[in-house]
Amino acid sequence: TYNTMTYRDFAVAVAERYRNHPGVAFWQLINEAEIKTEDESRMTSELEDAAAVVLRDWANDMASAIKQVDPNHLINVGSIGTGQFGTSGPRYELVHSGSDIDLCEMHDYEASKDGLGDEYNGMELRLQQAARLNKPLFVGEVGIKPEEAGGLEARAARFRAKIEYQRGLGVAGHVAWVWRNTDAVGGTDG
């Protein structure tokens, strides 16, 4: 038989089951949340505004349902945060504005730079938006492939520099990603 639960019902069941588990730091609604369109030529500003409202409403509904069974853990949307459709520019703040959304997030795979993004979707703007929402910003995925940094020791130094710089800006924390040399072992990123 197939599972007929909706994603919402499944997420609520997981949160209810693990609400007291000491290994849970927070709930992430979905990894790399964004809205996709079938036809990229239709990616107008008006459509993106509508996409942001859909994503915000979905996130608010999911977070509210989870908070009903687990009021003790934080919740984040799970956005990449660097300008994806539905979360670009000011839409990022809208998507994260719900009272049950507790954290803002970005992902960072820029091996050669300490900072991230640009004036329209960069880390400094995301920190300003998070501050207006009174929510911390964390980097939910930070990854540097060893071959992009010049080896494992150079990668470790890049991670240190990047994390120190971003924490100095006000980033609350980091989750390391791309933890192995995927080319050497033939695996996937992560």
Side-chain angles (χ1 to χ4, degrees):
T1 62
Y2 292 97
N3 184 347
T4 58
M5 292 178 83
T6 65
Y7 178 73
R8 183 181 190 273
D9 291 341
F10 174 76
V12 168
V14 169
E16 187 170 28
R17 180 175 183 172
Y18 294 104
R19 66 181 166 212
N20 295 316
H21 194 284
V24 176
F26 59 87
W27 299 114
Q28 182 177 74
L29 299 179
I30 194 164
N31 186 43
E32 300 189 344
E34 64 182 294
I35 301 289
K36 299 277 188 174
T37 62
E38 288 183 33
D39 178 2
E40 290 189 19
S41 68
R42 294 192 61 228
M43 296 172 101
T44 65
S45 178
E46 293 79 17
L47 186 59
E48 187 171 13
D49 289 343
V53 170
V54 168
L55 190 54
R56 180 207 55 202
D57 291 351
W58 173 82
N60 289 345
D61 176 61
M62 290 291 295
S64 174
I66 290 170
K67 288 278 186 171
Q68 287 179 24
V69 298
D70 181 3
N72 300 316
H73 284 99
L74 302 174
I75 297 178
N76 97 302
V77 175
S79 58
I80 300 171
T82 55
Q84 290 66 37
F85 195 74
T87 61
S88 70
R91 296 169 191 93
Y92 179 91
E93 190 170 344
L94 174 73
V95 169
H96 291 83
S97 65
S99 61
D100 289 324
I101 303 299
D102 304 301
L103 305 165
C104 296
E105 178 178 4
M106 293 188 81
H107 293 178
D108 181 355
Y109 289 98
E110 294 286 337
S112 62
K113 297 185 337 188
D114 290 339
L116 182 61
D118 56 28
E119 64 186 290
Y120 306 105
N121 294 291
M123 184 169 280
E124 291 184 23
L125 175 61
R126 297 298 178 243
L127 283 162
Q128 292 168 11
Q129 292 169 320
R132 283 193 295 270
L133 295 170
N134 197 29
K135 299 174 184 186
L137 175 75
F138 79 105
V139 179
E141 293 182 20
V142 58
I144 303 170
K145 293 181 181 178
E147 61 273 15
E148 293 176 352
L152 293 174
E153 287 184 34
R155 178 176 74 166
R158 285 297 309 127
F159 267 119
R160 274 192 298 278
K162 181 182 284 287
I163 289 170
E164 286 176 16
Y165 175 81
Q166 292 177 1
R167 293 248 173 117
L169 291 176
V171 171
H174 294 79
V175 177
W177 212 254
V178 185
W179 54 272
R180 60 187 165 130
N181 184 344
T182 58
D183 295 335
V185 294
T188 60
D189 288 354

